Amino acid sequence: MSDAGRVDGAVIQRLLSQRVTGYEPLSGFAANTIAVVTLESGARAVFKAAAAREVEVELWALRSMSERGVPVPEVIAGEPDAEIPHLVTRLVSGEPGVATLTAASEVGRLLRAVHAVPVEGAGFFKEASGSPPCAGEGTWADQVARLADRLGPVADAGILTSTLLSRCRDLLLDGTRWDQPCVYAHGDFHLRHVLSAGSRIEGIIDWADCGAASPWLDLARMDFREPGLQRAMLDAYFPAGIPADAPSHMANHRLLYMLLALVWEYECGGDWLHERVPGIESALATS
C-alpha cells in the first residue's frame, strides 16, 4: 500500500459499491494509501486503505472520541476485514494548523480530554492484539527500551551510524522517563492533523497511531513554531501550572517520536529513511 496509485478510483468504487465521481490521491505513510474521493451522493470523503489492525484501531478511536465530544471525522464506512481493509470518513473542513491563541488553548483542552480516557498497560494499539483499548503489558519505560532495541536493525542497514545509534539509545533510556501510568494518546498529534478555521478547531484526524503512552508524546509532537501558541496550549492542558521540567520532557519526547517514526517506516519498507536523520541529529542537539 505504499503507492497511492495502487488503489485508484475504480478500486475504491468497487470496494464501496457506489460510484466515485472524483479521486485525489494524498501523500500518506509507507504502509497505507489515502485519497480524497467524491461519492455519488456528492459527499466529499477521505478514503484510507491500510493494514487490517490499523483500520480496526482508527475506526474504534474515531467512534470513541466522537462519543466524548472530541471533534473527529464522521465515519461513513469501515471494513477492517475487507479484501483491502479500508476506512472512509467525511472530509473535515478547515485548514491544517493553528493560528490563534484561542485555538491553541482549545487544543490543550481537547488533548486533556483525550488523555482522560482510561487505558491499561503501555504501547500502541496497532502493535497489540485484542480489541482496543488493549495495550501491551508493562510500563512506558518498557516500551522505550523496546524501541531502543528496534533501532539496531536500522543501524545495521546503514541508516544510523554507530555513534548516532549510541547517542539515541542513551537519551531514550535516560531522557524520556515517565514513571506514572500511561494515558490514552493520539500518537501523532502533529499540527497537520489538527484542522481549524480561525479560532475554532474543526477536527482532529489520523488516529491510527493511538495507544497508551506518556502524555508528553502528544504534547511534544504538537510543535508550535510560535512560543505564544505553545504556551497557550500548555496553560490550558495544565490549569494548575506548567511543570518546571516541561522543556526537557518536550525536547526528549520529540526525539523519541522521530525515532519511533523511523522504526515504523523501516519495518514497513519505507524508502525515505535517510531524510529523517538530519531531524534526529538536530533533536539530539537540543535535548
Side-chain angles (χ1 to χ4, degrees):
M1 295 298 177
S2 61
D3 182 358
R6 291 179 59 186
V7 180
D8 58 16
V11 173
I12 295 173
Q13 185 167 278
R14 176 170 57 81
L15 289 170
L16 301 183
S17 300
Q18 63 174 294
R19 193 160 62 94
V20 173
T21 61
Y23 171 81
E24 304 167 30
L26 300 175
S27 61
F29 192 59
N32 59 40
T33 294
I34 305 174
V36 174
V37 297
T38 304
L39 305 177
E40 61 184 350
S41 64
R44 299 262 288 165
V46 175
F47 174 94
K48 179 177 183 179
R53 178 61 177 173
E54 186 171 326
V55 171
E56 178 189 19
V57 166
E58 188 157 11
L59 184 61
W60 173 85
L62 291 174
R63 289 171 173 165
S64 177
M65 291 298 103
S66 179
E67 291 172 357
R68 289 167 170 79
V70 176
V72 294
E74 176 189 350
V75 175
I76 296 175
E79 298 292 343
D81 299 323
E83 167 197 356
I84 299 177
H86 61 274
L87 174 68
V88 185
T89 57
R90 194 170 300 278
L91 184 67
V92 178
S93 61
E95 296 294 328
V98 173
T100 71
L101 293 174
T102 299
S105 294
E106 182 66 0
V107 167
R109 188 192 69 79
L110 288 171
L111 188 56
R112 188 174 179 86
V114 170
H115 288 177
V117 176
V119 293
E120 295 181 0
F124 297 92
F125 296 151
K126 71 179 184 180
E127 294 186 347
S129 59
S131 299
C134 177
E137 296 181 356
T139 65
W140 181 239
D142 297 328
Q143 290 295 316
V144 172
R146 292 189 189 104
L147 174 59
D149 290 340
R150 290 163 71 184
L151 289 172
V154 182
D156 292 342
I159 309 301
L160 298 174
T161 65
S162 59
T163 300
L164 192 55
L165 171 65
S166 178
R167 291 175 63 202
C168 287
R169 280 179 165 166
D170 287 347
L171 188 57
L172 279 180
L173 298 176
D174 294 336
T176 55
R177 297 190 184 281
W178 176 253
D179 56 6
Q180 299 182 41
C182 288
V183 302
Y184 175 84
H186 178 282
D188 193 10
F189 201 62
H190 191 273
L191 276 169
R192 66 174 175 266
H193 294 152
V194 177
L195 304 180
S196 65
S199 295
R200 177 181 172 83
I201 303 300
E202 298 288 344
I204 300 173
I205 64 173
D206 202 347
W207 292 79
D209 295 334
C210 65
S214 160
W216 292 105
L217 186 69
D218 280 346
L219 288 164
R221 183 71 173 136
M222 184 54 65
D223 189 8
F224 289 105
R225 298 298 180 184
E226 298 180 34
L229 295 179
Q230 186 172 79
R231 179 59 187 253
M233 176 191 73
L234 292 174
D235 280 339
Y237 185 88
F238 295 107
I242 302 172
D245 57 359
S248 62
H249 277 304
M250 297 280 277
N252 294 335
H253 281 77
R254 284 191 192 108
L255 172 67
L256 184 149
Y257 182 82
M258 290 180 187
L259 295 172
L260 182 63
L262 179 69
V263 165
W264 276 343
E265 187 170 355
Y266 174 79
E267 291 176 348
C268 73
D271 58 3
W272 52 292
L273 298 161
H274 288 281
E275 285 81 352
R276 293 189 180 272
V277 175
I280 291 169
E281 292 174 332
S282 177
L284 278 169
T286 58
S287 295

